[in-house]
Amino acid sequence: MKLSSLPRAELRRRLREEGLGLSIGPFNTSLKSHLSVVAEGLEQLYGAFTLTSDTDFIDFRVALNSPPGLRSWFRPQVNFSFDGFVPFKPLPQIQAFAMFEWGLNWVIANNAHQYLIIHAAVVELNGVVCILPGTPGSGKSTLCAALVCKGWRLLSDEMALISTATGDIYPVPRPVSLKNQSIEIIQNYSSDAVMGEVVMDTAKGAVGHMRPPQLSVEQSEQPGAPGLIVFPKYTAGAESCLVSLTQANALLKVAENSFNYSVLGLQGFDVLGDLISKCACYEFSYQSLDEAKEKLESLI
Amino acid sequence: MDARPLFYLCSPELLHSYCWGEQCAVYHAESGDTHLLNKFDLAVLQLIDESPASAKDLAVEFEQVFDKGATQYIQILLSNLAELGLIETFESESAR
């Protein structure tokens, strides 16, 4: 059963009481919250996701609720908790849905060590997975959003999950996080882009999330085969430029962008070495999304 | 008889590598560090792994790779590898 099939009242009841179970890529997540902004965000962006059944194992139990005391009423705030542990300081309650996304990123990055996890957007075209590692501000999410609006499959806008057992890349096709000018750029780029509420004045500026393509969500149990690693860099005023990167250099750069390379130790090195051996690697500076799309498609 | 330092691998079982073309990524499991070396540098490490060697031994061994400057290159390389914690030295009395 999809979340979109759940009546509004039942969605809110589950969030308040036993927790709403969602299948998100390889993870079953239970979310509890009494906040309407969370329920609304889920309705806008998670409609295509499958609900877990009562017998499914839940990997992550998270909650978004108001801290106790006066802050429930005066400048209300929200806390994110994972199995009862509160890893972050509270945020303004209006940012609760964004905090769910950020919190879930943190939970996966710190717990899913059956994968080598790279900070990267991951997309696929014609059976070839393209990993786009990038530091904040590199434009990876903007490029990722543009590509998936034009037919590429979304595996993730935030993390590449590389199975330590098989080397396959597992999708977690959640909403694409866009910041500041990128929100308007993507809204103008494609009429298919469906944005949730934009929240202003977060630590990252204005933040909005784009709904993941329905087909990508439906394919979220199908891992992909890696073929390309491209380090994108948005450069205003520059023509797009694709430069080949040696595989040894690419390994070092990818390791720098990994959440758990050092946790996995030698296993991480072996998984990464195998991954790099299967991929052509590039550095890519771009300004125009259309040009970038064309250039990347020429590599497939 | 002359005393000269012999270089040896600190923990050969903890050194792992992937090579593509002339470049290699080398993982040192003891430190958790990953290093970028060229294939020649890795060959030097492998030779030291087979048997501890002095800078002079290595320069002789790889003399044919260089037109000139083997000794200088090897000395700088050994110093760098020692700094990375991949190799160490001990003093050896040698009749050679």
Side-chain angles (χ1 to χ4, degrees), chain A residues 246-249 251 261 265-266 269-270 273-274 276-277, chain B residues 16-18 20 23-27 29 32 34-36:
Chain A
T246 67
Q247 284 165 302
N249 271 310
L251 184 143
Y261 177 72
L266 177 58
F269 178 71
D270 283 339
D274 288 345
I276 296 285
S277 295
Chain B
H16 303 266
S17 61
Y18 273 87
W20 300 275
Q23 286 188 321
C24 301
V26 176
Y27 180 74
T34 309
H35 307 288
L36 183 63

Side-chain angles (χ1 to χ4, degrees), chain A residues 74-85:
Chain A
F74 176 69
R75 293 186 183 162
Q77 292 183 318
V78 58
N79 266 332
F80 174 89
S81 64
F82 166 54
D83 278 346
F85 171 63

Side-chain angles (χ1 to χ4, degrees), chain A residues 59-183:
Chain A
D59 297 280
F60 307 130
R61 293 182 186 278
V62 301
L64 288 151
N65 283 310
S66 307
L70 281 175
R71 293 311 287 260
S72 298
W73 307 100
F74 176 69
R75 293 186 183 162
Q77 292 183 318
V78 58
N79 266 332
F80 174 89
S81 64
F82 166 54
D83 278 346
F85 171 63
V86 179
F88 312 117
K89 289 182 177 170
L91 291 177
Q93 203 169 97
I94 192 77
Q95 298 179 23
F97 183 77
M99 195 182 203
F100 167 59
E101 294 297 331
W102 299 331
L104 195 53
N105 289 340
W106 180 87
V107 168
I108 295 171
N110 283 281
N111 292 278
H113 299 313
Q114 66 272 42
Y115 303 100
L116 174 67
I117 307 177
I118 311 296
H119 185 202
V122 190
V123 289
E124 182 194 67
L125 187 71
N126 299 335
V128 178
V129 170
C130 175
I131 300 173
L132 301 163
T135 47
S138 63
K140 72 177 166 54
S141 289
T142 314
L143 181 57
C144 170
L147 293 171
V148 303
C149 283
K150 300 289 183 181
W152 288 57
R153 175 188 174 201
L154 172 70
L155 282 85
S156 174
D157 91 306
E158 185 64 18
M159 53 181 72
L161 300 180
I162 301 139
S163 165
T164 55
T166 65
D168 289 337
I169 303 190
Y170 278 75
V172 258
R174 293 160 50 206
V176 178
S177 174
L178 296 169
K179 297 186 284 286
N180 303 314
Q181 305 95 311
S182 293
I183 298 166

Side-chain angles (χ1 to χ4, degrees), chain B residues 18-94:
Chain B
Y18 273 87
C19 291
W20 300 275
E22 289 303 306
Q23 286 188 321
C24 301
V26 176
Y27 180 74
H28 187 213
E30 191 171 29
S31 64
D33 291 337
T34 309
H35 307 288
L36 183 63
L37 300 181
N38 66 40
K39 222 166 187 171
F40 173 78
D41 300 349
L42 188 63
V44 170
L45 271 180
Q46 285 164 342
L47 200 73
I48 295 172
D49 181 27
E50 284 170 21
S51 152
S54 68
K56 192 177 170 189
D57 297 335
L58 293 165
V60 169
E61 184 70 32
F62 289 102
E63 178 171 68
Q64 73 280 10
V65 177
F66 297 87
D67 289 338
K68 53 183 179 179
T71 304
Q72 192 186 5
Y73 183 90
I74 293 284
Q75 277 171 345
I76 293 170
L77 173 63
L78 292 172
S79 162
N80 289 342
L81 293 174
E83 205 166 298
L84 294 174
L86 301 179
I87 59 173
E88 285 182 4
T89 57
F90 64 87
E91 293 291 327
S92 167
E93 291 293 324
S94 167

